Amino acid sequence: MNIPPISFIDKDSGDEGVVLVRVSGDAVGLAVSLRKNGDVEVFLGAEELDRLIRVLEDARRVLRAKIP
């Protein structure tokens, strides 16, 4: 499955980064890469992915509440 990468600037370090998502069998690979500070890739099953989506949605709601 072709999922476009997400480019961003890390709010902590200012480093350029990219998030890559890929489907591999019955897991989803999530890679985060910073230009100057390395890479990490993890593979999540469906239940872990659902939990991650929920906590990211919770975090997004918190950020929305902070915007006047």
Side-chain angles (χ1 to χ4, degrees):
M1 178 176 218
N2 188 12
I3 300 171
I6 300 170
S7 298
F8 65 96
I9 300 296
D10 179 51
K11 299 292 187 197
D12 185 44
S13 68
D15 198 0
E16 295 176 41
V18 65
V19 174
L20 302 167
V21 178
R22 65 187 179 110
V23 178
S24 179
D26 63 350
V28 170
L30 176 65
V32 179
S33 176
L34 294 175
R35 182 178 294 276
K36 298 176 188 170
N37 209 9
D39 308 329
V40 64
E41 184 174 27
V42 296
F43 288 86
L44 306 169
E47 290 181 27
E48 294 87 1
L49 184 60
D50 288 342
R51 289 193 339 242
L52 176 61
I53 291 167
R54 280 194 301 273
V55 299
L56 288 172
E57 289 173 339
D58 290 346
R60 183 63 181 109
R61 281 190 286 278
V62 169
L63 288 181
R64 257 190 222 106
K66 290 184 177 187
I67 298 173

